[in-house]
Amino acid sequence: MNVKMEESWRLRLQPEFDKEYFRLLADFVRGEYRTQTIYPPGGMIFRALDSCPFDRVKVVLLGQDPYPGQGQAHGLCFSVNDGVAFPRSLVNIFKEIADDVGVQPPASGNLMRWAQQGVLLLNSVLTVRAGQPASHQNRGWETFTDAVIRLLAEEGNHLVFILWGAYAQRKGAFIDRSRHLVLTSAHPSPLSCTKFFGNHHFSQTNAYLLAQGKTPIAW
Protein backbone atom coordinates (compact mmCIF):
# COMPACT_ATOMS: atom_id res chain seq x y z
CA MET A 1 0.00 0.00 0.00
CA ASN A 2 1.29 3.46 -0.89
CA VAL A 3 1.14 5.66 2.20
CA LYS A 4 2.36 9.25 2.09
CA MET A 5 4.71 9.74 5.02
CA GLU A 6 8.10 11.21 5.92
CA GLU A 7 10.63 9.00 4.19
CA SER A 8 12.59 7.66 7.17
CA TRP A 9 9.36 6.37 8.68
CA ARG A 10 7.80 5.20 5.43
CA LEU A 11 10.76 2.95 4.65
CA ARG A 12 10.78 1.39 8.10
CA LEU A 13 7.01 0.94 8.27
CA GLN A 14 6.49 -0.41 4.75
CA PRO A 15 6.16 -3.98 6.07
CA GLU A 16 3.18 -2.81 8.15
CA PHE A 17 1.50 -1.16 5.16
CA ASP A 18 1.69 -4.45 3.28
CA LYS A 19 -0.13 -6.43 6.00
CA GLU A 20 -3.79 -7.39 5.85
CA TYR A 21 -4.69 -5.59 9.09
CA PHE A 22 -3.46 -2.29 7.66
CA ARG A 23 -5.42 -2.77 4.44
CA LEU A 24 -8.57 -3.33 6.49
CA LEU A 25 -7.72 -0.34 8.68
CA ALA A 26 -7.19 1.90 5.66
CA ASP A 27 -10.51 0.80 4.15
CA PHE A 28 -12.29 1.54 7.43
CA VAL A 29 -10.69 4.95 7.87
CA ARG A 30 -11.43 6.00 4.28
CA GLY A 31 -15.06 5.01 4.77
CA GLU A 32 -15.28 6.98 8.01
CA TYR A 33 -13.90 10.14 6.40
CA ARG A 34 -16.48 9.79 3.60
CA THR A 35 -19.48 9.35 5.89
CA GLN A 36 -18.62 10.93 9.27
CA THR A 37 -16.85 13.94 10.74
CA ILE A 38 -13.42 12.60 11.67
CA TYR A 39 -10.49 14.22 13.44
CA PRO A 40 -7.77 15.14 12.74
CA PRO A 41 -8.12 16.32 9.11
CA GLY A 42 -7.03 13.56 6.75
CA GLY A 43 -3.76 15.20 5.81
CA MET A 44 -2.69 15.30 9.46
CA ILE A 45 -3.20 11.64 10.43
CA PHE A 46 0.54 10.91 10.35
CA ARG A 47 1.69 14.35 11.45
CA ALA A 48 3.50 13.03 14.53
CA LEU A 49 5.73 10.93 12.30
CA ASP A 50 6.01 13.53 9.55
CA SER A 51 7.17 16.22 11.99
CA CYS A 52 9.75 14.08 13.78
CA PRO A 53 11.93 11.91 11.49
CA PHE A 54 13.10 8.60 12.93
CA ASP A 55 16.72 9.56 13.47
CA ARG A 56 15.75 12.79 15.27
CA VAL A 57 13.55 11.16 17.92
CA LYS A 58 14.87 11.70 21.43
CA VAL A 59 11.65 11.46 23.45
CA VAL A 60 8.43 9.52 22.90
CA LEU A 61 5.28 10.85 24.58
CA LEU A 62 2.40 8.44 24.18
CA GLY A 63 -1.24 9.49 24.12
CA GLN A 64 -4.41 7.47 23.60
CA ASP A 65 -6.51 8.93 20.78
CA PRO A 66 -7.09 12.40 19.27
CA TYR A 67 -9.19 15.04 20.96
CA PRO A 68 -12.76 14.65 19.58
CA GLY A 69 -13.72 18.34 19.68
CA GLN A 70 -13.95 20.65 16.68
CA GLY A 71 -10.65 22.26 15.75
CA GLN A 72 -8.67 20.54 18.52
CA ALA A 73 -6.81 17.57 17.02
CA HIS A 74 -4.04 18.16 14.51
CA GLY A 75 -2.08 14.93 14.65
CA LEU A 76 0.08 15.43 17.76
CA CYS A 77 -0.96 13.90 21.07
CA PHE A 78 -2.03 16.32 23.82
CA SER A 79 -1.58 19.22 21.36
CA VAL A 80 -4.21 21.59 19.96
CA ASN A 81 -4.20 24.09 17.12
CA ASP A 82 -3.24 27.71 17.72
CA GLY A 83 -6.11 29.69 19.15
CA VAL A 84 -7.94 26.66 20.58
CA ALA A 85 -8.72 26.59 24.31
CA PHE A 86 -6.47 24.23 26.27
CA PRO A 87 -8.09 20.89 27.21
CA ARG A 88 -7.82 20.12 30.91
CA SER A 89 -5.09 17.51 30.40
CA LEU A 90 -2.95 20.07 28.60
CA VAL A 91 -3.59 22.66 31.32
CA ASN A 92 -2.28 20.13 33.84
CA ILE A 93 0.76 19.31 31.69
CA PHE A 94 1.69 22.99 31.53
CA LYS A 95 1.18 23.31 35.30
CA GLU A 96 3.60 20.44 35.93
CA ILE A 97 6.14 21.98 33.54
CA ALA A 98 5.91 25.29 35.43
CA ASP A 99 6.36 23.56 38.79
CA ASP A 100 9.10 21.25 37.54
CA VAL A 101 11.31 23.40 35.33
CA GLY A 102 9.95 26.91 35.83
CA VAL A 103 8.62 27.45 32.29
CA GLN A 104 5.33 29.33 32.39
CA PRO A 105 2.39 28.21 30.21
CA PRO A 106 2.60 29.49 26.62
CA ALA A 107 -0.10 31.37 24.77
CA SER A 108 -0.70 28.43 22.40
CA GLY A 109 -1.31 24.76 23.07
CA ASN A 110 0.33 23.81 19.78
CA LEU A 111 3.18 21.45 20.71
CA MET A 112 4.82 21.43 17.29
CA ARG A 113 7.75 23.20 18.94
CA TRP A 114 8.38 20.01 20.93
CA ALA A 115 8.13 17.80 17.84
CA GLN A 116 10.71 19.95 16.09
CA GLN A 117 13.12 19.27 18.96
CA GLY A 118 12.76 15.48 18.73
CA VAL A 119 9.67 14.71 20.82
CA LEU A 120 7.47 12.15 19.06
CA LEU A 121 3.92 13.05 20.12
CA LEU A 122 2.26 9.75 19.24
CA ASN A 123 -1.30 8.71 19.91
CA SER A 124 -2.02 4.99 20.08
CA VAL A 125 -5.07 5.52 17.86
CA LEU A 126 -4.63 8.13 15.13
CA THR A 127 -8.24 9.01 14.24
CA VAL A 128 -11.55 9.55 16.04
CA ARG A 129 -15.19 10.42 15.28
CA ALA A 130 -16.26 13.91 16.29
CA GLY A 131 -17.59 13.89 19.83
CA GLN A 132 -16.98 10.16 20.30
CA PRO A 133 -13.77 9.40 22.23
CA ALA A 134 -12.31 5.93 21.59
CA SER A 135 -14.59 5.43 18.58
CA HIS A 136 -11.72 4.18 16.38
CA GLN A 137 -10.14 1.87 18.92
CA ASN A 138 -9.64 -1.81 18.06
CA ARG A 139 -9.63 -1.19 14.31
CA GLY A 140 -5.89 -1.73 13.79
CA TRP A 141 -4.28 1.55 14.80
CA GLU A 142 -2.96 -0.02 18.00
CA THR A 143 -1.10 -2.68 16.01
CA PHE A 144 0.42 -0.01 13.79
CA THR A 145 1.57 2.21 16.64
CA ASP A 146 2.93 -0.83 18.50
CA ALA A 147 5.17 -1.31 15.46
CA VAL A 148 6.30 2.32 15.67
CA ILE A 149 7.21 1.95 19.35
CA ARG A 150 8.96 -1.36 18.75
CA LEU A 151 11.11 0.14 15.99
CA LEU A 152 12.20 2.94 18.30
CA ALA A 153 12.81 0.61 21.24
CA GLU A 154 14.89 -1.80 19.14
CA GLU A 155 16.77 0.59 16.83
CA GLY A 156 16.99 3.72 18.95
CA ASN A 157 19.58 4.36 21.63
CA HIS A 158 19.01 6.03 24.97
CA LEU A 159 15.54 7.37 24.24
CA VAL A 160 13.09 8.65 26.81
CA PHE A 161 9.63 7.05 26.79
CA ILE A 162 7.01 8.99 28.77
CA LEU A 163 4.02 6.81 29.64
CA TRP A 164 1.14 8.48 31.51
CA GLY A 165 -1.69 6.29 32.73
CA ALA A 166 -2.28 2.55 32.75
CA TYR A 167 -3.11 2.39 29.03
CA ALA A 168 0.22 3.87 27.93
CA GLN A 169 2.12 1.83 30.48
CA ARG A 170 0.67 -1.42 29.17
CA LYS A 171 1.51 -0.39 25.62
CA GLY A 172 5.14 0.30 26.56
CA ALA A 173 5.61 -2.67 28.85
CA PHE A 174 8.05 -4.41 26.47
CA ILE A 175 10.53 -1.51 26.27
CA ASP A 176 14.02 -2.44 27.53
CA ARG A 177 14.59 -0.34 30.66
CA SER A 178 18.32 -1.01 30.55
CA ARG A 179 18.55 0.61 27.13
CA HIS A 180 16.10 3.51 27.49
CA LEU A 181 14.67 5.72 30.22
CA VAL A 182 11.00 4.88 30.80
CA LEU A 183 9.06 7.38 32.90
CA THR A 184 5.63 6.41 34.23
CA SER A 185 2.99 8.18 36.28
CA ALA A 186 -0.74 8.79 36.48
CA HIS A 187 -2.41 10.49 33.52
CA PRO A 188 -2.78 14.31 33.53
CA SER A 189 -6.56 14.13 33.07
CA PRO A 190 -8.69 15.80 35.77
CA LEU A 191 -9.61 12.34 37.11
CA SER A 192 -6.03 11.46 38.05
CA CYS A 193 -4.05 14.71 37.98
CA THR A 194 -3.41 14.81 41.73
CA LYS A 195 -1.23 11.72 41.23
CA PHE A 196 0.28 13.19 38.05
CA PHE A 197 1.51 16.40 39.64
CA GLY A 198 5.02 16.17 41.02
CA ASN A 199 6.24 13.45 38.66
CA HIS A 200 9.14 15.70 37.50
CA HIS A 201 9.19 13.97 34.13
CA PHE A 202 10.30 17.07 32.26
CA SER A 203 13.40 17.70 34.38
CA GLN A 204 14.18 13.96 34.48
CA THR A 205 13.97 13.80 30.69
CA ASN A 206 16.39 16.66 30.26
CA ALA A 207 18.82 15.33 32.85
CA TYR A 208 18.92 12.00 31.01
CA LEU A 209 19.36 13.63 27.61
CA LEU A 210 22.23 15.73 28.90
CA ALA A 211 23.87 12.65 30.43
CA GLN A 212 23.72 11.02 26.99
CA GLY A 213 25.29 14.02 25.29
CA LYS A 214 22.01 15.14 23.73
CA THR A 215 20.43 18.58 23.68
CA PRO A 216 17.66 18.94 26.29
CA ILE A 217 14.12 19.91 25.33
CA ALA A 218 12.99 23.51 25.70
CA TRP A 219 9.62 22.73 27.23
Side-chain angles (χ1 to χ4, degrees):
M1 180 171 292
N2 182 25
V3 176
K4 293 182 179 179
M5 183 182 294
E6 191 278 328
E7 189 68 2
S8 66
W9 283 111
R10 189 188 65 77
L11 291 172
R12 287 175 170 84
L13 291 167
Q14 188 61 50
E16 298 303 308
F17 304 146
D18 294 336
K19 292 178 180 178
E20 178 69 5
Y21 89 86
F22 195 88
R23 185 188 67 77
L24 295 173
L25 169 63
D27 287 346
F28 166 74
V29 170
R30 280 194 291 263
E32 287 284 281
Y33 274 94
R34 284 196 301 267
T35 60
Q36 307 289 333
T37 300
I38 304 298
Y39 300 129
M44 295 182 176
I45 293 175
F46 297 110
R47 196 174 192 187
L49 300 175
D50 287 334
S51 60
C52 194
F54 184 88
D55 292 329
R56 291 188 56 207
V57 176
K58 296 187 288 188
V59 181
V60 181
L61 177 55
L62 188 62
Q64 193 158 347
D65 61 350
Y67 294 124
Q70 183 177 2
Q72 292 181 311
H74 65 136
L76 307 177
C77 73
F78 295 107
S79 179
V80 291
N81 280 301
D82 294 327
V84 175
F86 297 175
R88 289 294 302 278
S89 292
L90 188 56
V91 170
N92 292 334
I93 289 169
F94 286 149
K95 182 180 186 301
E96 175 60 22
I97 290 172
D99 293 343
D100 186 17
V101 297
V103 176
Q104 295 307 304
S108 173
N110 188 332
L111 303 181
M112 180 59 75
R113 61 189 181 276
W114 293 3
Q116 292 169 341
Q117 297 177 76
V119 181
L120 181 66
L121 297 161
L122 182 69
N123 276 314
S124 175
V125 175
L126 300 187
T127 53
V128 70
R129 280 190 184 185
Q132 299 182 42
S135 50
H136 282 187
Q137 287 187 4
N138 301 316
R139 293 287 186 166
W141 280 130
E142 295 91 341
T143 302
F144 176 75
T145 52
D146 280 350
V148 172
I149 296 167
R150 192 170 299 279
L151 278 169
L152 289 163
E154 293 178 353
E155 296 187 23
N157 285 304
H158 305 299
L159 304 181
V160 181
F161 290 85
I162 301 177
L163 310 177
W164 294 332
Y167 182 92
Q169 289 163 34
R170 288 194 298 271
K171 194 171 179 71
F174 67 87
I175 299 167
D176 184 351
R177 269 67 171 171
S178 69
R179 182 169 178 172
H180 306 287
L181 177 63
V182 179
L183 299 175
T184 63
S185 79
H187 194 276
S189 77
L191 297 176
S192 56
C193 62
T194 56
K195 295 181 180 179
F196 168 80
F197 292 136
N199 64 25
H200 300 293
H201 283 180
F202 303 97
S203 59
Q204 289 185 65
T205 293
N206 280 350
Y208 182 81
L209 293 176
L210 283 168
Q212 303 303 323
K214 299 180 182 182
T215 304
I217 306 300
W219 301 109

